[in-house]
Amino acid sequence: MNFRKQFFEGLLTKNPVTVQLLGMCSTLAITTSLFNGLGMGISVTIILICSNVLISALRRVIPSQIRIAAYIVIIAGFVTIVDLLLQAFLPELSQSLGVFIPLIVVNCIILGRAEAFASKNGVLASAVDGLCQGIGYTVALVVMSVLRELLGSGTFGGGLLGGGQGYTVIPDPYPAMKIVMPVGGFLTLGVVIAFSQWLVARIEKKNKKKEAAKV
Amino acid sequence: MTKKATALYVLRLSLTLFLITALVAAALAGVNGITAPRIAAEKERKTQAAIEKVLPGGGTLVDPGSYDNQGGLVSRVFASDAGYAVEVAPTGFDGAITMMVGVSRDGKVLDISIISHTETAGLGAVAAADTPDGESFRAQFRGLSGELSVKKDGGTVDQLSGATVTSRGVTRGVSAALKCVASLG
Amino acid sequence: MTTYVQTLLGILISALLTENFILVKFYGICPFMGVSKKIDTALGMGMAVTFVMAIASAACWAVYNLILVKLNLQYMQTVAFILVIAAIVQVVEMFLKKAVPSLYKALGIYLPLITTNCAVLGAALVNVQKGYDFLQSVFFGACGGLGFTLAIVLFASVRERVEKADCPACFKGFPITLISAGLLALAFMGFSGLKLF
């Protein structure tokens, strides 16, 4: 198994958010503090691993005509389990993510990976795929959250560090409040994707040079 | 494919899907069994915190006996030496606003606390927020009694700017709580 | 009675403008980005979503209030709703194909995409969260769909021009599209102080 390649793909070259442009609803909506971004990222990663494993294990049992329906039911099951667990054990997170927890069901990343990977590969490989894609998703969310929180509320680590308030970096009248509002979501994601496109282009250029040197 | 084989195949498809759904449902029932008591306890803790806030130092809470629920607006009433805590759920701009109203023995508002709501962020949500605007909106109810209404409707309560309907809802809730306590005698 | 009409009007204004499904609530971003390259396809998608959302809101309301609540199975809502929505999309597709072929021709290709459109599930979940009654739920679904249509059609007309614009290489494609969407969202924020009464 080339774990390194899968990891690198999930993180950058095939990152679910910045390259595949999947699951953008939650990416835009909840990335207003580190707590939210990290919480959402971890929830999705757990669901992604579980659904990938189960779907991969059942891939010979489920007839292809009803596979999408079966996947959706399985995914909805895991999402509800995570939803209930969050409500019971992390009520603050559940409150601030609100309806976006059950909406993970229609997050295209999970159905996308089920269809593109788990339905064709073994259990272990699917688990690793879920983990790598999940990490890629989480990293993208955390980057978005940190940027938006810093520029919009002027704090770092809100809901998590510094007694739940986060550490103030930019004092009160200066943060651009619009960045934590919907507008900021679009703008920040645009800039983050632009940066990742630039990074990917640079790496590809380097690889080409290396290959050219080899020849 | 013969007709019989097709029917069998459809049966197999439905059965597989049914089995998967049944398994998921069973798993969910199991998880729900573990989480439901905790979710209920968390909700109860929030209610208790709200009572604590609107009825400070109230001592032990008792059931006040029968009361007029104001056309379903009042969901629960707790009584103590200091007064009553009334849980009301009036409709705001956007769905129900669940809130706790503390009422003294002589029928005046002690304090109010909003437990849950789905009002618009930045407008109606200010009513429940821990901001100076939200604090002063809620604080103005202290000491009021009788039939209340917002200034726009000729009353005394300052409505939140851009959120008249929310303010009206909260005011209606407080009024209902006062009337409910009056019905206790 | 007046308060009931007020509530409905409130739902209309908030679903259409102040809490626009796409630009403020972020439900249904995937089709918003995917099917907004041309105005006429955007309009087709918007109408299809509006249609399905109104029906799905009604069906999910019925399933939740008449079945799940009665059986004390509220925790099954997500699973039940997504199944209901998937089934509705299938039925609507088959029905249109047989009964209204002209409409099917116009909307048909968008229908399968709608199952995984979070606007539809989102509307169903919000209806439960806010405790809307049957009429309010259907109204919310339809208005949410119209809000979706409004945003996607406006955005498609912006995008037709952005495609031709000259911008830095790394911003080509989605980044510049997202930034244009951001500006549209900024414009919609102007509605946020809007009050009716």
Side-chain angles (χ1 to χ4, degrees):
Chain A
M1 236 12 260
N2 39 4
F3 179 76
R4 251 190 80 183
K5 186 175 157 246
Q6 264 184 319
F7 183 74
F8 191 65
E9 276 184 3
L11 198 63
L12 191 64
T13 52
K14 282 194 185 157
N15 185 293
V17 177
T18 60
V19 181
Q20 302 180 51
L21 304 161
L22 297 174
M24 290 202 292
C25 304
S26 45
T27 312
L28 290 168
I30 53 88
T31 50
T32 49
S33 74
L34 183 62
F35 182 58
N36 284 359
L38 207 56
M40 189 68 173
I42 292 170
S43 308
V44 168
T45 307
I46 291 170
I47 294 167
L48 193 52
I49 295 172
C50 293
S51 76
N52 259 6
V53 165
L54 191 63
I55 286 168
S56 162
L58 293 176
R59 70 186 188 279
R60 291 186 215 291
V61 186
I62 302 173
S64 70
Q65 283 92 335
I66 54 159
R67 66 178 195 287
I68 301 291
Y71 297 166
I72 287 180
V73 173
I74 291 170
I75 294 166
F78 282 120
V79 169
T80 310
I81 290 173
V82 168
D83 187 12
L84 291 174
L85 290 175
L86 284 182
Q87 277 181 40
F89 297 100
L90 281 172
E92 290 87 13
L93 185 62
S94 168
Q95 184 97 39
S96 67
L97 295 182
V99 80
F100 283 95
I101 292 282
L103 282 182
I104 297 176
V105 177
V106 282
N107 187 320
C108 332
I109 296 173
I110 298 174
L111 193 60
R113 291 325 285 178
E115 175 75 2
F117 198 94
S119 62
K120 300 186 187 95
N121 289 284
V123 173
L124 191 66
S126 300
V128 172
D129 177 71
L131 182 67
C132 296
Q133 292 286 325
I135 290 174
Y137 179 71
T138 310
V139 168
L141 284 194
V142 167
V143 168
M144 288 272 297
S145 306
V146 168
L147 279 176
R148 284 179 75 184
E149 196 191 329
L150 187 67
L151 296 174
S153 323
T155 55
F156 175 75
L160 208 61
L161 308 171
Q165 297 298 313
Y167 301 114
T168 306
V169 182
I170 307 173
D172 196 22
Y174 301 109
M177 209 184 83
K178 295 289 177 280
I179 300 291
V180 289
M181 302 190 103
V183 192
F186 285 112
L187 296 184
T188 316
L189 187 60
V191 173
V192 167
I193 293 180
F195 180 72
S196 95
Q197 282 189 357
W198 175 79
L199 206 61
V200 170
R202 234 178 93 111
I203 289 168
E204 269 171 12
K205 225 187 207 170
K206 240 187 200 167
N207 283 352
K208 260 186 202 155
K209 252 188 200 164
K210 247 190 218 163
E211 267 168 38
K214 261 187 210 161
V215 174
Chain B
M1 212 186 279
T2 62
K3 212 173 179 184
K4 203 176 167 195
T6 323
L8 261 177
Y9 189 62
V10 170
L11 194 69
R12 196 185 139 217
L13 288 188
S14 342
L15 222 74
T16 317
L17 200 53
F18 176 75
L19 265 179
I20 291 172
T21 317
L23 275 179
V24 168
L28 285 187
V31 174
N32 185 57
I34 304 167
T35 54
R38 284 197 68 111
I39 295 171
E42 173 62 26
K43 212 175 154 194
E44 192 53 37
R45 193 188 60 74
K46 264 191 178 167
T47 310
Q48 289 301 329
I51 295 175
E52 189 71 18
K53 189 166 176 303
V54 299
L55 208 58
T60 40
L61 293 171
V62 292
D63 183 10
S66 68
Y67 54 86
D68 178 1
N69 75 358
Q70 304 296 319
L73 275 181
V74 177
S75 42
R76 283 191 290 185
V77 181
F78 306 88
S80 79
D81 299 337
Y84 304 92
V86 186
E87 192 183 77
V88 285
T91 311
F93 179 72
D94 205 354
I97 305 170
T98 307
M99 52 189 237
M100 193 64 76
V101 183
V103 183
S104 65
R105 287 266 162 197
D106 56 353
K108 288 200 173 97
V109 177
L110 288 167
D111 204 349
I112 68 169
S113 168
I114 294 175
I115 300 170
S116 69
H117 70 93
T118 51
E119 300 300 290
T120 316
L123 294 171
V126 172
D130 286 324
T131 57
D133 283 350
E135 302 275 3
S136 69
F137 174 73
R138 293 190 298 274
Q140 65 174 326
F141 287 100
R142 286 178 203 151
L144 298 184
S145 61
E147 177 77 45
L148 303 177
S149 59
V150 293
K151 279 193 176 147
K152 205 169 194 176
D153 299 338
T156 48
V157 176
D158 276 314
Q159 63 260 20
L160 289 162
S161 70
T164 310
V165 180
T166 307
S167 313
R168 252 184 215 143
V170 172
T171 310
R172 196 164 61 243
V174 175
S175 285
L178 287 171
K179 272 189 241 162
C180 166
V181 168
S183 78
L184 284 165
Chain C
M1 199 57 217
T2 38
T3 50
Y4 193 76
V5 174
Q6 274 183 3
T7 315
L8 287 187
L9 281 173
I11 291 174
L12 174 74
I13 296 294
S14 70
L16 209 56
L17 299 174
T18 55
E19 295 199 12
N20 186 283
F21 261 50
I22 291 181
L23 295 169
V24 182
K25 288 293 194 183
F26 298 118
Y27 302 147
I29 294 292
C30 297
F32 179 61
M33 289 294 162
V35 213
S36 61
K37 286 204 174 115
K38 282 215 178 89
I39 295 179
D40 42 348
T41 48
L43 193 62
M45 183 69 184
M47 296 323 284
V49 167
T50 308
F51 190 59
V52 171
M53 260 170 77
I55 301 176
S57 294
C60 288
W61 185 91
V63 165
Y64 186 79
N65 287 288
L66 304 180
I67 302 177
L68 295 182
V69 171
K70 297 271 153 68
L71 297 176
N72 227 348
L73 285 175
Q74 283 95 331
Y75 61 89
M76 288 291 285
Q77 64 165 359
T78 315
V79 180
F81 286 1
I82 191 77
L83 278 177
V84 167
I85 291 168
I88 285 175
V89 171
Q90 284 285 319
V91 171
V92 166
E93 197 179 349
M94 288 191 284
F95 175 77
L96 284 186
K97 210 173 183 175
K98 278 262 156 73
V100 204
S102 56
L103 196 61
Y104 177 75
K105 235 184 200 166
L107 304 184
I109 50 165
Y110 306 109
L111 284 171
L113 292 172
I114 293 175
T115 311
T116 50
N117 181 343
C118 48
V120 183
L121 184 62
L125 291 168
V126 169
N127 281 334
V128 168
Q129 194 188 46
K130 297 203 168 161
Y132 286 151
D133 66 21
F134 182 73
L135 189 63
Q136 288 170 337
S137 297
V138 178
F139 196 67
F140 180 73
C143 292
L146 289 178
F148 179 91
T149 312
L150 178 68
I152 199 170
V153 170
L154 277 178
F155 188 56
S157 48
V158 172
R159 209 171 154 184
E160 281 181 355
R161 270 153 227 221
V162 169
E163 294 283 301
K164 296 190 180 74
D166 190 29
C167 67
C170 62
F171 273 93
K172 282 243 159 66
F174 271 96
I176 193 72
T177 312
L178 280 166
I179 288 176
S180 330
L183 295 179
L184 195 58
L186 188 64
F188 265 70
M189 271 185 63
F191 290 120
S192 70
L194 192 69
K195 50 183 173 177
L196 209 52
F197 311 110

